[in-house]
Amino acid sequence: MNDSDNKDGRSLWEKISQYGKSVYQNSMSFIDSSREKIAGKNRAEEDALAAETSGNHEVDEATELSSDNIDENKEPRTGFSKFLFGFNVAYNVIKNLVIIFSLILLIGGAFAGGAGVGLFASLVSGQTPPSYEDMQVAIGNVEQTSTMYYANGETISDFRSDLKRTTISLDDISEYVINGVIATEDEYFWEHPGVVPKAVLRAVVQQLTGSVQTSGGSTLTQQLIKQQILSPEVTFERKVNEILIAFRVENYFSKEEILQAYLNVSPFGRNSLGQNIAGVQEAATGIFGVNAKDLTLPQAAFIAGLPQNPITYSPYTGSGQVKEDQTSGLSRKNEVLFRMFREGYITEEEYASARDYDLTQDFILRQENEQDTNSFAYDAVETEARLILMKLLYEADGLTKEDIDADPNLYTRYYERADDDLRLNGYKVYSTIDKTIHNALEQVASEYGPGMGRTKKAPAVYDPSTGEYIQPMEEDPETGESVPKMVEIQVGSSLVDNASGRIIAFVGGTNYQDNMLNHGLYVERQPGSTIKPVLVYAPALEEGLITPASMVSDSRLFVPNWVNGRIEGHEVTNVGNVYSDKNVSARESLVNSMNIPTSRIYLQMMENGSTPGNFLPLMGIGADAVHPDEYKNAALALGGTGHQEVNEEGEVVGMIYGPTVLEMTSAYTMLANQGVHADPFMIERIENSDGEVIYQHESETTKVFTPETAYMTVDILRDVMENSTVGGTTDQLNFSADIAGKTGTTNAQEDIWFIGMTPTITLSSWIGYDVDQISIDTENGVHPSKRNLNFWARLMNAVYEKNPTLVGSDKNFTRPEGIVEEEVLAETGMKPGEITVPSDAVEKAKESELQYADFEERKPNVSPSRWLPDGAKVSISGDMKKEIFAKDKVPGTTVYDFLIGSPPHIQNSFWKSKAGSGASAKAKENNENKEEENADED
């Protein structure tokens, strides 16, 4: 329907406005002319009276002055003549008063009518009436409850909101309800054009006279407009607009459409859960436990009476308990029944039967909310869905994520819009969470999580204002006394599908009620050694710096730092502050999580101009987890993340702690997925209230490494499962599978990690405290890493028990065609052959020895006999070992500087030992000749 169909709302509005102005102006003109007529008549009467008075006065004087002129024969006035004279005077006076009073009434009426219409017109003048489309959206804009679902379609929960509502069609509503509402709220609904004038007048009179018995002046149409189009404020302007829009709504929409909208939007008090409800369907199910179509007459009458005063008439308290006193609601029900009888909707017998029926027996008792509104799953789905809606909203407005992140006000605006949409638009949010597996993991966390570590006292916190350390305190719930704050151990875990990035399940903590922080998805922590495979080894393999067989020195390592005006060495150590002084392979280094060889590889990449930081963002670990400035720190190679954000004034305005458990888990899925990273996701799709899909997840993948690099890294991590720390973990599993993984521990054992993967899924486990500087102790002779590995095994067993196929126990990691197996020297990781000492090797070795002697605080040894001279040749051979390599990166003949990232004096000492042991007579001869030449030069 459009304005061409003689339904031009705008022209109607203008005509009413123009007519009102005209009446108002004519009324004012009439009043002015009436005033002039009255004034003219009064002047004329005053003149006549003056003349009459003057003539009588002259006659009297003449009579007094000349007694000769007295007619002695004239008779005096009789009593009757005097009566007639008085009557004439009184009549004229009364007539004039009636005329004047009538004129006043006429003028007043004209003034009131004209002024009223003029006021009416002035209130709507200049306002644009809503279009059909605007009204259609507003009337149909019913706040509806949104719902979230598990992957199998089972409900997680409705989204929390102040109002619970479900919309239905008019055909699904009992005739009893429809007739009851009409009989009670708007008896002329089917006849009036949107407004009932006499009802409005009656309400005004009752309001002005302060009548105790009042009846509403608003029709159902007006009530709908007040709820959906206009504000509920009480002003003349709003009321005038309400009346005009009511005509317009009736002009555009059928009575059935108006009635259906009203019954879906109106508030109906509370349900048996204590929730605020709206719409007749929620009222029927929430009060009587039946659908709106199946309500009995007394039930329907009770519900039909609720909109007048929903909370007062509701049978439930705010907690969902049935009220002890139901008098007001039942009285209202009987009033509705009487009006239905009076209007002919029910018979007298039906009225009497329904009136006398004990309706309290139909009220359902208080229900326990079985929906999971207070859980890690609810919070996570709500968070992820809100972020998706935010993106849809700001992208629709032409904005980017960078725009939103850069403007806190803009972020807040779209956050609130998305939050409102999510709660009130009847969305259906379908998640990837597997209910049975998720619940099983939470059960393991609840049962075994608290045993991961003792509850400890929070450490004292430094107060810069006083320069003192202050002990955090809390109130003892039993005694009320102030006691030191205690901190409980927490756990976190994520289970992610390798190929798709689907978040199957997670563990947010040991107990949601005690701690609602989601440690499995959102809490940032230092990753410890779990970062080594993805930050150091895989990038070094990808760039060809190392192979699994490459050798690295596990000798003392110092990283130069500028401290107090001089270069000092920060020593990197292995766990336990030990070093072997041996050369180890890259495979052995990663399997045993050795810090010194790992740091040497990382520092060598940096020295070569490589950028290890280019890889982490590709696997989902961005600048909000690891700041770009951190990549220049050697500590990052060992998982030592942490960055303070400082403003121009030098004030700390933010802190980056490290990646989340989910981010680290997702990075490992990339290794299991042949080097391709699929972004992790929890929301599969979102549908609006009409069932239309407004969001459908589309997998976003990024190639991070070649399949060969990923496989070699995974193959090394397979061996981790057999080392001394992790060994025995697979024995606790209830199944056999191809598993690879990595442990991680941060300084002072504040964080303990394990991330394990099968060909199909990756499962992580983290334990720690929410407060810094609390270590996880060895308890009952069991190291915290061992406890965490046992916890991981329990989690994995729970997954297998619920879905054996999911863990991929019948699969193996796919070996790419580009992987070959070759033999190399066990000592060098390369092929046998001959090396030549470079021309500047000795000089570099001396410089390196001097620097390390300074760092180690020992006497340097730079005597010529220590070094293998430049140009010397050494042949190398020996025990061989098999190793896997990328086909295009198979090691060649051993080179002089085969030790990755090792200092020159270590490199030269190795070859000196080989030459001095008689490994090559030719090398020894050359060395002796070279030494003699050097001695002659000296």
Side-chain angles (χ1 to χ4, degrees), residues 31 168 175 193 218 309 344 389 487 612 671 685 765 777 888 924:
I31 291 169
I168 56 176
E175 287 290 331
S218 295
N309 201 334
L389 292 180
V487 185
L671 296 175
R685 72 182 186 277
S765 175
D777 302 328
D888 59 343
K924 184 176 181 180

Side-chain angles (χ1 to χ4, degrees), residues 185 218-228 242 262:
E185 296 289 332
S218 295
T219 64
L220 293 181
T221 309
Q222 290 173 270
Q223 293 181 46
L224 178 63
I225 291 166
K226 183 161 52 178
Q227 292 185 71
Q228 298 298 103
E242 176 190 302
Y262 174 84

Side-chain angles (χ1 to χ4, degrees), residues 592-617:
N592 294 299
S593 199
M594 303 173 73
N595 292 339
I596 293 173
T598 299
S599 297
R600 291 194 188 280
I601 295 172
Y602 186 76
L603 291 171
Q604 187 63 56
M605 280 196 292
M606 300 292 286
E607 185 176 331
N608 291 350
S610 300
T611 52
N614 289 346
F615 293 99
L616 287 189

Side-chain angles (χ1 to χ4, degrees), residues 432-447:
T432 62
I433 301 174
D434 185 302
K435 179 182 179 180
T436 58
I437 294 177
H438 182 77
N439 289 345
L441 296 189
E442 288 202 325
Q443 180 62 34
V444 172
S446 176
E447 185 174 352

